[in-house]
């Protein structure tokens, strides 16, 4: 028994075979599908003709051998000029050649009892595969008429038909040797159609994915533009009104002081009001500058292991003094052992803004408490007050640039950037921010940042 060892057939050898075939039929970039199918058919028929020429000759089928030789010469000529000279193959010549060859073969090879009838429809399929759609009906009619004509000729002139094969073995050999022609032709056509379909399907899927990605990018750009537009409007509002108004008040107070002699009773009250307006303007300007810088420069975070109380002590004492001017008590409870991983400047700004916000919305006589505790691998810093609480209609956008500024218990007005900065700077340090509130009872804002404490 013969044994075949396929273990030595490597992937590279198969790949080379595929590359050779692609070189023979031409690339899709150089030739359309119909032309590549024609090249494949031509090569297949040339190979088959090379087999049938000696076979028919030794079997005594000299006309069949001559027909196979003519087929080989014709398709070699057509293939060469189409593949290597870039000339368009002739659909008409291809179709008429088939009619001529198979008509002759029909009468020299047993007529209706021979194998020619197996090849007629397959050759017509080849004609369809390499010709434009608008020629298909024409070729269908021509082949049907020719097929009918040769059969009618046999019916009325049976002596035209030659019977080179003997009944039995000869007919068997004729059919068996004729079958590969339609089988191989059908294989080539179906293969190209499937490959072309799969390729078009892949291209369509890639285009669909590209459209979806493009759609997502457009929506993303739209959201970014809308956000930029909101930020622009917010900035213009701050510059044109929120920042301009307190500065105008300071200017008016200074003009009043310059133009009018004030009594000792009026001066302290006016100076107190002037200081309040100046502090509000400074707070607005400070937040505006921080926010503008963060938008222009992007993330620039210097994380380090910090002792929480040491970093916040100066900020807490300063805010304690500001709160006392409004008769608000500020107390803080932070363990000296707590250490965090944070950016010192960002953390100070966040806590300062949270305390300033609590002072703004807490009535005189109120209390603000700053506390810190360790939860798993995070440190929670909370700023709690017993002020007005956050109205329900403002809670959804409280950390957003879309939030509208509100007046505090002392008629203080911010620009709506304090909590936006708190959220942005907390997240840049790898933390998160949240709040709890009850109307008329108070609010508690808290941030979670990575802890370095064991």
């Amino acid at each position: 028994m013969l044994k075949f060892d396929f273990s030595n057939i490597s992937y590279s050898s198969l790949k080379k075979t595929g590359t050779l075939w692609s070189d023979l039929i031409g690339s899709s970039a150089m030739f359309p599908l119909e032309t590549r199918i024609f090249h494949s058919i031509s090569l297949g028929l040339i190979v088959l003709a090379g087999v049938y020429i000696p076979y028919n000759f030794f079997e005594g089928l000299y006309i069949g051998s001559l027909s196979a030789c003519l087929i080989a010469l014709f398709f070699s000529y057509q293939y060469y000029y189409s593949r290597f000279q870039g000339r368009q193959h002739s659909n008409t010549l291809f179709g008429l050649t088939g009619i001529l060859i198979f008509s002759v073969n029909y009468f020299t090879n047993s007529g209706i009892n021979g194998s020619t009838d197996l090849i007629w429809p397959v050759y017509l399929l080849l004609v369809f595969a390499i010709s434009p759609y608008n020629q298909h009906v024409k070729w269908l009619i021509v082949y049907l008429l020719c097929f009918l004509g040769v059969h009618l000729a046999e019916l009325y002139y049976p002596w035209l038909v030659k019977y080179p094969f003997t009944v039995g073995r000869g007919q068997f050999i004729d059919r068996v040797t004729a079958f590969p022609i339609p089988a191989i032709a059908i294989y080539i056509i179906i293969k190209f159609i499937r490959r072309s379909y799969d390729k078009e399907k892949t291209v369509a899927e890639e285009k669909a994915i590209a459209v979806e990605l493009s759609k997502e990018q457009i929506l993303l750009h739209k959201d970014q533009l809308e956000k930029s537009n909101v930020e622009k409007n917010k900035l213009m509002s701050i510059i044109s009104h929120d920042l301009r108004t307190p500065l105008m008040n300071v200017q008016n107070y200074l003009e009043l002081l310059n133009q009018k002699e004030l009594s000792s009773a009026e001066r302290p009250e006016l100076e107190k009001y002037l200081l309040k307006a100046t502090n509000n303007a400074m707070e607005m300007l400070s937040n505006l500058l921080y926010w503008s810088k963060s938008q222009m420069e992007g993330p620039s975070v210097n994380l380090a292991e910090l002792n929480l109380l040491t970093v916040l002590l100066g900020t807490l004492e300063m805010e304690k003094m500001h709160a006392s001017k409004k008769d608000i008590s500020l107390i803080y409870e932070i363990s000296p052992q707590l250490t965090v991983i944070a950016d010192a400047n960002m953390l100070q700004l966040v806590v300062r803004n949270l305390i300033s916000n609590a002072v703004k919305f807490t009535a005189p006589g109120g209390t603000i408490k700053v506390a810190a505790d360790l939860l798993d691998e995070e440190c929670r810093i909370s700023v709690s007050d017993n002020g007005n609480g956050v109205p329900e209609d403002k809670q959804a956008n409280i950390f957003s640039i879309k939030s509208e500024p509100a007046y505090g218990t002392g008629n203080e007005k911010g620009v709506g950037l304090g909590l936006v900065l708190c959220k942005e700077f907390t997240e840049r340090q790898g933390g998160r921010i949240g709040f709890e509130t009850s109307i008329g009872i108070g609010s508690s804002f808290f941030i979670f940042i990575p802890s370095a404490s064991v």
Side-chain angles (χ1 to χ4, degrees):
M1 181 181 295
L2 293 176
K3 294 184 179 180
F4 297 94
D5 184 9
F6 295 99
S7 60
N8 294 325
I9 301 178
S10 63
Y11 172 76
S12 59
S13 63
L14 294 175
K15 187 175 181 181
K16 288 178 181 178
T17 303
T19 304
L20 176 61
W21 180 252
S22 299
D23 291 339
L24 289 173
I25 66 172
S27 66
S28 58
M30 296 176 60
F31 300 99
L33 178 62
E34 293 86 354
T35 304
R36 286 181 283 124
I37 292 177
F38 175 76
H39 293 164
S40 299
I41 293 170
S42 298
L43 291 171
L45 291 177
I46 292 169
V47 172
L48 286 174
V51 174
Y52 283 116
I53 291 171
Y55 169 77
N56 288 336
F57 183 82
F58 286 113
E59 288 291 331
L61 302 174
Y62 302 116
I63 294 179
S65 180
L66 179 61
S67 298
C69 184
L70 291 175
I71 290 175
L73 291 174
F74 171 76
F75 284 105
S76 296
Y77 169 84
Q78 286 275 290
Y79 168 76
Y80 173 77
Y81 278 97
S82 175
R83 173 64 183 88
F84 299 105
Q85 299 297 320
R87 298 181 185 178
Q88 178 65 35
H89 64 272
S90 174
N91 303 321
T92 303
L93 190 58
F94 184 88
L96 294 178
T97 300
I99 292 174
L100 176 62
I101 292 175
F102 295 126
S103 295
V104 173
N105 192 71
Y106 180 84
F107 289 106
T108 59
N109 189 23
S110 304
I112 199 170
N113 294 313
S115 59
T116 308
D117 282 351
L118 289 174
I119 307 174
W120 278 94
V122 177
Y123 195 86
L124 178 59
L125 179 61
L126 300 181
V127 175
F128 287 159
I130 67 170
S131 61
Y133 291 117
N134 57 8
Q135 295 183 11
H136 288 182
V137 175
K138 180 190 72 173
W139 283 117
L140 176 62
I141 295 173
V142 169
Y143 267 72
L144 287 175
L145 291 176
C146 292
F147 184 84
L148 179 62
V150 296
H151 283 74
L152 286 174
E154 180 186 9
L155 178 63
Y156 291 104
Y157 307 99
W159 53 268
L160 293 174
V161 178
K162 306 299 180 183
Y163 296 91
F165 289 109
T166 58
V167 177
R169 181 177 179 275
Q171 289 179 328
F172 170 77
I173 294 174
D174 178 44
R175 294 297 177 92
V176 170
T177 55
F179 179 76
I181 297 176
I184 292 174
I186 292 172
Y187 165 76
I188 292 173
I189 294 173
I190 296 300
K191 177 182 178 181
F192 270 91
I193 292 174
R194 280 292 303 271
R195 182 181 293 176
S196 178
Y197 169 77
D198 292 340
K199 184 177 180 180
E200 291 295 328
K201 181 181 178 182
T202 302
V203 171
E205 289 175 350
E206 290 175 351
K207 286 182 178 179
I209 294 173
V211 169
E212 286 296 322
L213 291 175
S214 177
K215 183 179 178 181
E216 291 178 3
Q217 290 177 350
I218 290 172
L219 292 175
L220 179 62
H221 290 161
K222 180 185 175 184
D223 292 340
Q224 291 175 344
L225 287 174
E226 288 178 351
K227 182 180 178 181
S228 298
N229 191 50
V230 170
E231 292 175 351
K232 181 199 72 175
N233 293 338
K234 185 82 173 181
L235 182 61
M236 295 306 297
S237 173
I238 293 169
I239 295 173
S240 64
H241 183 266
D242 295 335
L243 187 59
R244 183 170 176 266
T245 299
L247 290 177
M248 287 181 63
N249 290 337
V250 172
Q251 182 183 23
N252 293 334
Y253 297 149
L254 291 176
E255 289 178 355
L256 184 62
L257 288 173
N258 188 47
Q259 295 173 4
K260 181 180 178 181
E261 288 291 335
L262 298 175
S263 65
S264 57
E266 294 175 325
R267 181 174 290 273
E269 187 65 25
L270 187 58
E271 289 178 349
K272 181 180 179 182
Y273 201 86
L274 179 61
L275 179 61
K276 183 178 178 181
T278 304
N279 288 337
N280 286 341
M282 285 298 298
E283 182 184 352
M284 289 183 188
L285 183 60
S286 177
N287 280 336
L288 178 60
L289 291 175
Y290 273 116
W291 178 75
S292 300
K293 182 180 179 183
S294 71
Q295 297 303 306
M296 290 186 294
E297 296 182 358
S300 178
V301 186
N302 298 312
L303 297 178
E305 186 173 323
L306 307 171
N307 182 279
L308 186 60
L309 182 59
T310 302
V311 170
L312 296 182
L313 188 58
T315 300
L316 293 170
E317 290 297 327
M318 184 180 299
E319 293 303 316
K320 189 173 185 179
M321 291 176 56
H322 291 160
S324 65
K325 294 177 181 177
K326 196 176 175 180
D327 196 22
I328 295 174
S329 300
L330 174 64
I331 56 177
Y332 52 88
E333 297 177 358
I334 299 177
S335 170
Q337 282 75 42
L338 274 178
T339 55
V340 296
I341 299 174
D343 182 300
N345 293 328
M346 286 187 175
L347 184 59
Q348 290 169 356
L349 182 141
V350 170
V351 173
R352 182 165 64 248
N353 270 290
L354 290 178
I355 296 174
S356 176
N357 199 62
V359 170
K360 186 183 301 181
F361 296 103
T362 301
T367 302
I368 297 173
K369 180 180 179 181
V370 180
D373 51 354
L374 192 62
L375 298 175
D376 295 330
E377 296 181 354
E378 293 180 310
C379 177
R380 181 180 65 180
I381 304 172
S382 59
V383 178
S384 306
D385 62 62
N386 56 358
N388 296 336
V390 182
E392 188 173 349
D393 60 334
K394 294 183 180 296
Q395 292 179 14
N397 293 323
I398 194 168
F399 295 114
S400 169
I401 191 73
K402 299 177 182 179
S403 64
E404 294 294 329
Y407 287 93
T409 55
N411 208 33
E412 310 99 322
K413 185 185 179 185
V415 294
L417 286 177
L419 291 178
V420 175
L421 281 171
C422 289
K423 182 177 187 299
E424 185 172 333
F425 283 9
T426 299
E427 291 177 349
R428 286 188 184 182
Q429 297 175 88
R432 50 198 173 89
I433 190 169
F435 73 99
E436 296 174 350
T437 186
S438 298
I439 303 300
I441 298 178
S443 303
S444 178
F445 285 81
F446 41 84
I447 61 171
F448 293 87
I449 56 175
S451 171
S453 301
V454 180

